[in-house]
């Protein structure tokens, strides 16, 4: 019996795949536990529509991320930190501080976990910080650290 999986099943396959299973396994395990549905023409059509919708949503998210990346290129965030001799900052600038400054200064909602610091910012100056916006899109944000 051909079955369309509604969830990932460890020994069978991923969600949305069409797999061939024995009739008893389908009747006694897959169908009662709502792990899959029988692959008839109506369910196959529903699967095609769901995949088309998912592709459309993924494309929209990618375009939104690319737009945000272009917007980030033009922005600069200024952080005021206390510093000692030689422009050394007390402590270091964290991704949380960058995210909150981006929200207050530019109105950008950035997740602190998506901000990737190559090394800790421990001195005054201007830095390029990469922000992971999408699996395929990474934006650059300028962070300027000045003395308080």
């Amino acid at each position: 019996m051909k079955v369309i999986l509604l969830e990932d099943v460890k020994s069978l396959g991923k969600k949305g795949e069409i797999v061939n299973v024995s009739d008893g396994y389908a009747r006694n395990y897959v169908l009662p536990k709502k792990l899959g549905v029988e692959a008839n023409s109506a369910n196959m059509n529903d699967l095609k529509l769901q995949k088309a919708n998912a592709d459309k949503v993924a494309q929209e998210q990618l375009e939104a991320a690319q737009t945000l990346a272009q917007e980030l290129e033009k922005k600069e965030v200024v952080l005021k930190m206390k510093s000692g001799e030689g422009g050394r900052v007390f402590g270091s600038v964290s991704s949380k501080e960058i995210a909150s400054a981006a929200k207050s200064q530019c109105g950008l909602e950035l997740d602190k976990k998506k901000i990737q610091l190559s090394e800790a910012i421990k001195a005054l100056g201007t830095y390029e910080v990469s922000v992971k916006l999408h699996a395929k899109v990474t934006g650059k944000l300028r962070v300027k650290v000045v003395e308080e």
Side-chain angles (χ1 to χ4, degrees):
M1 175 184 284
K2 288 192 182 239
V3 176
I4 300 171
L5 296 177
L6 299 175
E7 294 181 22
D8 292 353
V9 181
K10 195 171 192 175
S11 60
L12 285 179
K14 302 268 185 211
K15 177 181 177 180
E17 286 184 4
I18 300 170
V19 293
N20 204 6
V21 296
S22 68
D23 290 350
Y25 185 64
R27 250 193 331 271
N28 296 322
Y29 183 73
V30 177
L31 298 177
K33 293 199 174 195
K34 306 277 192 248
L35 298 175
V37 292
E38 188 178 345
N40 57 26
S41 60
N43 290 338
M44 295 285 276
N45 196 24
D46 287 347
L47 177 66
K48 283 181 187 175
L49 291 174
Q50 287 175 355
K51 282 187 177 181
N53 188 32
D55 290 344
K56 182 181 174 189
V57 169
Q59 184 64 30
E60 288 173 357
Q61 289 176 342
L62 178 64
E63 290 171 2
Q66 289 171 339
T67 305
L68 184 58
Q70 291 172 353
E71 191 177 320
L72 277 179
E73 298 283 335
K74 302 170 190 166
K75 304 279 184 182
E76 182 177 73
V77 175
V78 179
L79 289 169
K80 293 181 179 175
M81 302 288 290
K82 289 185 178 180
S83 63
E85 291 182 30
R88 299 276 300 162
V89 175
F90 294 125
S92 64
V93 177
S94 68
S95 59
K96 182 178 179 182
E97 292 170 325
I98 295 171
S100 64
K103 183 176 181 179
S104 65
Q105 293 174 19
C106 305
L108 297 172
E109 279 290 332
L110 298 178
D111 186 7
K112 68 179 181 182
K113 295 173 189 153
K114 306 281 183 180
I115 297 173
Q116 300 171 328
L117 298 171
S118 54
E119 73 254 353
I121 299 174
K122 295 185 177 185
L124 300 177
T126 305
Y127 299 90
E128 287 275 323
V129 176
S130 58
V131 182
K132 188 94 166 147
L133 301 170
H134 187 270
K136 299 176 184 174
V137 180
T138 303
K140 296 281 186 194
L141 176 66
R142 271 191 313 282
V143 177
K144 187 174 185 179
V145 183
V146 296
E147 192 168 358
E148 192 173 85

